[in-house]
Amino acid sequence: MKKVREVHSQLLEIMEKQRLEVKSCGNKWDIVRKCICSAYFHQAARLKGIGEYVNARTGMPCHLHPTSALYGMGYSSDYVVYHELIMTSKEFMQCVTSVEAEWLAELGPMFYSIKESVHSIEEGKAKAAERRRQMEQELAEAEEELEAERERRSAPSSSRRAIATPGHNQTPNRTPRRLGF
């Protein structure tokens, strides 16, 4: 809480110097959490197990620091952002804030995106079957086009046909010996 008071006093000083009106968010803490997320989205971690998180970008395992307010809460947030990592026997996150996955995708689209979720297993199977049917249909059309192309190439074209002239024999398969060839 000491650090919170220091940050609060720094913010008040900055607001006074800039001659900005000081407003409170009241009980709307999501505004503050979203603001923190906008600054630290690149240092986000997702829940892996009880008290264990994994850095969302690097996959490095991290743990909540025992001094963190989220540590003994009894509830683990799905996603958190942190200010710093302390490397000891484990990597501990300090200055941790719980955030929503949608905020990470909104504020850091170059790093995060939200997967489409399927609401039911039957719906997922139906979508997969539809995709498979479309792919099979495209494959059949492509095979038909290939077969038509092969037939077109194998059929003799009118320009390739030999012109028959009376009294002219085809050239012999061998050259005559008398010419010295």
Side-chain angles (χ1 to χ4, degrees):
M1 291 303 285
K2 183 179 178 183
K3 189 164 186 125
V4 171
R5 284 189 207 109
E6 289 174 6
V7 170
H8 183 264
S9 65
Q10 288 175 357
L11 288 173
L12 284 176
E13 284 179 25
I14 292 170
M15 297 288 283
E16 288 172 6
K17 285 181 182 177
Q18 297 295 323
R19 295 184 183 143
L20 296 173
E21 182 183 348
V22 178
K23 292 183 181 179
S24 174
C25 69
N27 292 331
K28 299 177 183 174
W29 289 104
D30 285 349
I31 297 169
V32 176
R33 290 174 44 222
K34 193 169 184 180
C35 180
I36 293 170
C37 182
S38 71
Y40 290 103
F41 65 84
H42 57 281
Q43 292 176 330
R46 63 180 158 75
L47 185 66
K48 182 180 180 184
I50 299 172
E52 184 178 359
Y53 287 86
V54 175
N55 187 303
R57 288 181 44 213
T58 63
M60 183 174 69
C62 311
H63 300 275
L64 290 174
H65 196 272
T67 61
S68 172
L70 296 178
Y71 182 75
M73 202 168 64
Y75 166 76
S76 296
S77 302
D78 291 336
Y79 289 88
V80 295
V81 292
Y82 58 90
H83 173 66
E84 61 185 348
L85 279 178
I86 297 176
M87 306 287 190
T88 58
S89 60
K90 298 178 183 177
E91 287 79 16
F92 288 106
M93 298 179 287
Q94 248 187 348
C95 300
V96 181
T97 303
S98 172
V99 295
E100 303 295 326
E102 293 81 21
W103 297 348
L104 291 171
E106 176 187 340
L107 301 169
M110 64 287 292
F111 296 114
Y112 310 106
S113 63
I114 297 176
K115 291 182 181 177
E116 278 187 36
S117 64
V118 179
H119 297 293
S120 66
I121 294 173
E122 293 85 20
E123 194 176 311
K125 287 181 180 179
K127 283 185 180 180
E130 177 64 24
R131 276 188 296 229
R132 193 176 316 114
R133 187 189 62 75
Q134 285 177 348
M135 288 174 57
E136 288 173 354
Q137 183 179 2
E138 289 174 7
L139 179 65
E141 290 173 1
E143 286 176 347
E144 288 175 8
E145 287 178 16
L146 268 173
E147 187 61 34
E149 180 67 23
R150 284 185 194 140
E151 288 177 6
R152 186 180 62 80
R153 288 187 180 195
S154 66
S157 65
S158 59
S159 62
R160 292 186 185 173
R161 291 185 184 158
I163 298 174
T165 55
H168 186 270
N169 292 337
Q170 291 182 350
T171 56
N173 291 341
R174 294 179 13 180
T175 54
R177 284 187 183 172
R178 62 185 166 98
L179 296 175
F181 293 105

